[in-house]
């Protein structure tokens, strides 16, 4: 399967700990997106990369969150000093460059804060 | 981006066509209509998109009204595996603005 891959699928951690998630996009997709989804809601945009450049950040992305895509391939999303409100599904998507190209999503990492 | 309005939930009998409506009365001329669906515990799945012409692929058909103020996603022969939340999104891609706004979608339940 050559879809978007996310790791881990589930993460349980205590409040105050740091967590890091990884996303491997579809190969040759130079755009990569992070979204967050809470129960009963649709996904909400967090940030977007074109190649290694982070071009857009949502105001949802507080200073405890940082995302990287160092070589323009995989990406990591780190949350520092986790809080209860960070419990959510974190989704990654990728797309090619080009007008109207659809985003293709991974199955997400579900984060639970104890 | 233009706002979309979808029914909260719908039921469809297995084997019948599922017709999911979406209103987007403030859509502008360069905005595309996208449909995604999300099955429980999975990420959203791209289904189809279009600008003004009707579109069809192996998953579904998209019918856009002539005034572009509404559209309908058609699953021609619904199966139990089509039970999911369906999102209608109106979007124009431009430099510096590439996120999708999902809303809360329509929960489709296919009934045996």
């Amino acid at each position: 399967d050559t879809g978007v891959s996310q790791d881990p699928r589930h993460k349980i951690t205590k409040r105050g700990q740091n967590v890091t998630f990884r996303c491997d996009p579809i190969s040759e997709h130079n755009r990569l997106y992070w979204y967050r989804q809470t129960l009963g809601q649709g996904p909400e945009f967090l940030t977007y990369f074109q190649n290694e450049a982070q071009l857009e950040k949502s105001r949802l992305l507080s200073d405890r969150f940082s995302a990287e895509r160092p070589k323009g391939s995989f990406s990591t999303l780190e949350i520092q000093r986790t809080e209860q409100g960070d419990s959510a599904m974190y989704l990654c998507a990728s797309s090619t460059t080009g007008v109207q190209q659809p985003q293709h999503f991974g199955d997400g990492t579900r984060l639970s804060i104890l | 981006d233009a706002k979309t309005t979808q029914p909260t939930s719908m039921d469809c009998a297995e084997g019948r066509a599922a017709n999911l409506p979406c209103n987007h009365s403030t859509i502008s001329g360069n905005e595309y209509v996208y449909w995604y669906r999300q099955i429980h515990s999975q990420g959203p799945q791209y289904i189809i998109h279009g600008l003004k012409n009707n579109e069809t692929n192996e998953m579904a058909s998209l019918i856009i009204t002539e005034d572009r103020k509404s559209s309908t996603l058609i699953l021609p022969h619904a199966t139990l595996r089509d039970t999911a939340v369906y999102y209608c999104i109106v979007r124009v891609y431009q430099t510096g603005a590439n996120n999708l706004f999902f809303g809360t979608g329509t929960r489709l339940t296919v009934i045996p």
Side-chain angles (χ1 to χ4, degrees), chain A residues 9 31 33 35 37 40-43 45 48 55-56 89 91 98-108 110, chain B residues 32 34 36 38 40-46 49 87 91 93-104 107:
Chain A
R9 289 296 312 278
R31 290 183 170 175
Y33 313 79
Y35 290 79
Q37 185 173 26
Q41 303 298 312
F45 172 77
Y48 150 69
L55 297 184
E56 200 176 334
M89 175 79 83
L91 293 158
V99 182
Q100 310 103 38
Q101 292 304 309
Q103 297 177 22
H104 297 273
F105 285 79
D107 285 335
R110 181 167 294 284
Chain B
Y32 283 71
Y34 291 78
Y36 285 77
Q38 190 170 24
H40 184 61
S41 296
Q42 297 181 19
Q45 179 188 22
Y46 165 75
H49 74 282
Y87 296 98
R91 193 70 182 95
Y93 280 97
Q94 57 195 22
T95 302
N98 290 277
N99 52 300
L100 296 174
F101 178 74
F102 278 81
T104 53
R107 181 172 297 279

Side-chain angles (χ1 to χ4, degrees), chain B:
Chain B
D1 294 330
K3 180 182 167 65
T4 63
T5 305
Q6 299 178 254
T8 303
S9 63
M10 294 180 62
D11 293 339
C12 177
E14 187 178 17
R16 304 296 294 268
N19 297 282
L20 292 95
C22 180
N23 287 321
H24 31 79
S25 58
T26 61
I27 192 170
S28 62
N30 60 348
E31 288 185 307
Y32 283 71
V33 180
Y34 291 78
W35 284 84
Y36 285 77
R37 73 180 182 184
Q38 190 170 24
I39 296 168
H40 184 61
S41 296
Q42 297 181 19
Q45 179 188 22
Y46 165 75
I47 302 173
I48 198 167
H49 74 282
L51 182 62
K52 53 185 177 181
N53 297 322
N54 297 339
E55 302 287 344
T56 296
N57 63 20
E58 66 278 4
M59 290 182 67
S61 294
L62 173 61
I63 308 298
I64 302 174
T65 58
E66 192 169 345
D67 63 7
R68 302 187 68 240
K69 293 186 177 183
S70 65
S71 60
T72 301
L73 179 75
I74 301 172
L75 308 177
H77 306 286
T79 71
L80 299 179
R81 287 178 292 182
D82 291 323
T83 292
V85 178
Y86 287 76
Y87 296 98
C88 169
I89 300 165
V90 171
R91 193 70 182 95
V92 58
Y93 280 97
Q94 57 195 22
T95 302
N98 290 277
N99 52 300
L100 296 174
F101 178 74
F102 278 81
T104 53
T106 295
R107 181 172 297 279
L108 175 69
T109 302
V110 180
I111 302 169

Side-chain angles (χ1 to χ4, degrees), chain A residues 24-106:
Chain A
D24 287 272
I26 295 171
S27 59
E28 296 160 8
H29 279 192
N30 58 351
R31 290 183 170 175
L32 187 147
Y33 313 79
W34 285 98
Y35 290 79
R36 182 177 72 181
Q37 185 173 26
T38 53
L39 203 60
Q41 303 298 312
E44 297 173 291
F45 172 77
L46 291 177
T47 190
Y48 150 69
F49 291 85
Q50 179 152 318
N51 300 313
E52 64 275 10
Q54 189 174 17
L55 297 184
E56 200 176 334
K57 292 186 197 179
S58 160
R59 55 187 168 83
L60 292 176
L61 208 69
S62 76
D63 56 6
R64 296 184 298 107
F65 288 68
S66 62
E68 293 183 344
R69 194 183 183 199
K71 298 182 180 179
S73 56
F74 74 91
S75 175
T76 57
L77 178 68
E78 181 183 17
I79 308 174
Q80 296 182 326
R81 306 181 303 281
T82 52
E83 301 174 354
Q84 292 281 352
D86 297 332
S87 294
M89 175 79 83
Y90 290 85
L91 293 158
C92 177
S94 69
S95 73
T96 58
T97 306
V99 182
Q100 310 103 38
Q101 292 304 309
Q103 297 177 22
H104 297 273
F105 285 79

